[in-house]
Amino acid sequence: MEPIRRGDSDDLFEAVVSQDGVMRWLATGRADSRSAARAMCDDHVAHWTRHGYGDFAVRDAATHAFLGRVGLRNRARHGVDLGFALQPLAQGRGIAGEAGRACLDLAFRRLSLPAVFAFVLPDNTASIAVLRRLGAQADGTVQSSGLHCLRFRFDPAGTAAAEHVAVDDGGADLQLIHVLGPGSPSDEAALRDGLPDPFGVNGLALVWDDKQHTLTAVSEGRPVASAGWLLRDMAFDGSPRRTAGLGGVLVHPAHRGQGIARTVISVAVEHARAAGAETMILLCRPDLVPLYAQLGWSRLSVPVTFQQPDGARTSPLTTMIYDLAVPPRPTISVDLRGLPF
């Protein structure tokens, strides 16, 4: 199993896209052109860049023949889902289950995701059987890509560890660890690496709230990145909304530019979703807006206020927002109803 590359488009076309018996069960439906396969590969590559995980090309260990694709896809409105599409000759051999278990192992034991979902058409009995063997539990129905689908859910406790699968996810030995409460002072000191103001906010003289959750990325036994968040009922145009405030996103200087922050942020979003947040919000410097925009966040143009020991203040920072449901966007104001984060 290797991350799908653009060069896999011909293999993807022959094994999956040109196969009616495979495509009929996918949300994309029939797409029997090589250009469609190239577009799919481009989309898979972009997903890996954006999240640090995604779909794998599954190959025969002995012959290296392309068997199909299996992987994790982050859907902004639904969460992370497990999907697979194998060529007809590879079906019925346990490959989807073996590769799917490896993906779940990555999701829960490497990334510390809180849950993984799967969306399947009701008549796709073969895929439903695979999902159940992997430990999925029925979790209602959902509209996915305009289709009525059954939803299944995987939880960390109900998923067995993968065996005998060679997986190259490009993440070296990166391990994400989720803990309740703020991160340890020693980890933060290590990530700061002597920088007096890594967030560029000391000059604002603000009092910040403690995080209720912390996600730390560890490599070779050392912290290389972290992010924290808290849950709070904030006011959007005067109406309460369950919101997760993201903050404290920090990457050790020696590990910047490797996409680690993107993965940490993506996983933090999924924890906020699992905790019931409808929206996620963060305050950042203007120079960081392009990074978050690439990750699917959008900029708020309304005034944002928060509390300080001497009273309410309007935020001097740029506010970015990520919707986990489909709530209305604020048009008047946002009140964080507490300290900034």
Side-chain angles (χ1 to χ4, degrees):
M1 294 172 62
E2 303 169 329
I4 285 187
R5 301 183 294 265
R6 289 186 173 88
D8 292 322
S9 65
D10 284 343
D11 283 341
L12 185 68
F13 173 78
E14 297 292 346
V16 174
V17 176
S18 65
Q19 303 293 329
D20 287 340
V22 178
M23 295 301 293
R24 65 185 293 243
W25 299 117
L26 303 184
T28 50
R30 183 177 174 84
D32 58 352
S33 68
R34 293 186 183 275
S35 61
R38 286 193 295 271
M40 289 179 186
C41 283
D42 287 344
D43 186 50
H44 290 313
V45 170
H47 189 282
W48 274 97
T49 300
R50 182 170 172 176
H51 297 284
Y53 56 87
D55 274 273
F56 294 90
V58 180
R59 296 183 179 276
D60 185 281
T63 67
H64 208 59
F66 185 92
L67 304 177
R69 59 105 179 143
V70 179
L72 302 169
R73 173 58 60 100
N74 189 292
R75 301 181 186 274
R77 294 291 183 265
H78 300 294
V80 177
D81 86 81
L82 171 68
F84 39 83
L86 299 179
Q87 64 163 301
L89 291 178
Q91 295 175 16
R93 296 164 50 189
I95 295 171
E98 190 175 358
R101 195 174 301 282
C103 289
L104 293 172
D105 196 64
L106 169 65
F108 295 135
R109 289 166 181 81
R110 284 279 305 279
L111 299 176
S112 293
L113 282 163
V116 171
F117 299 90
F119 307 99
V120 59
L121 295 175
D123 293 335
N124 192 350
T125 55
S127 291
I128 292 172
V130 172
L131 296 175
R132 291 194 181 280
R133 286 196 294 270
L134 288 173
Q137 300 295 317
D139 193 43
T141 61
V142 68
Q143 290 291 318
S144 178
S145 301
L147 300 174
H148 177 76
C149 296
L150 303 178
R151 180 171 64 186
F152 289 83
R153 178 187 175 106
F154 297 94
D155 293 300
T159 305
E163 297 179 358
H164 312 306
V165 182
V167 181
D168 172 19
D169 65 355
D173 68 340
L174 193 70
Q175 172 82 42
L176 271 61
I177 301 171
H178 170 240
V179 299
L180 297 177
S184 72
S186 60
D187 282 354
E188 183 173 341
L191 291 173
R192 286 175 176 264
D193 195 36
L195 296 175
D197 185 17
F199 303 110
V201 296
N202 285 1
L204 301 177
L206 296 174
V207 177
W208 301 84
D209 206 347
D210 288 334
K211 308 302 186 293
Q212 299 168 349
H213 301 262
T214 301
L215 193 67
T216 303
V218 176
S219 178
E220 298 181 352
R222 299 179 180 180
V224 296
S226 70
W229 67 97
L230 53 78
L231 284 170
R232 187 189 295 162
D233 287 330
M234 304 180 192
F236 285 62
D237 290 346
S239 298
R241 183 182 300 179
R242 194 64 170 165
T243 306
L246 177 69
V249 179
L250 184 60
V251 180
H252 187 280
H255 295 271
R256 292 175 183 170
Q258 301 175 19
I260 299 174
R262 297 167 185 258
T263 302
V264 171
I265 293 166
S266 177
V267 174
V269 167
E270 295 313 308
H271 278 276
R273 187 195 310 275
E278 298 176 89
T279 298
M280 205 160 190
I281 196 169
L282 69 91
L283 308 175
C284 70
R285 304 192 312 267
D287 60 293
L288 294 176
V289 169
L291 166 65
Y292 287 101
Q294 290 174 1
L295 302 183
W297 296 65
S298 55
R299 185 171 181 170
L300 277 185
S301 58
V302 301
V304 175
T305 58
F306 50 69
Q307 292 298 313
Q308 289 292 277
D310 58 352
R313 286 186 58 178
T314 299
S315 175
L317 294 165
T318 301
T319 304
M320 304 293 289
I321 192 171
Y322 190 99
D323 286 325
L324 302 169
V326 196
R329 283 296 177 92
T331 59
I332 302 172
S333 66
V334 171
D335 185 351
L336 303 187
R337 289 186 172 176
L339 297 173
F341 29 81

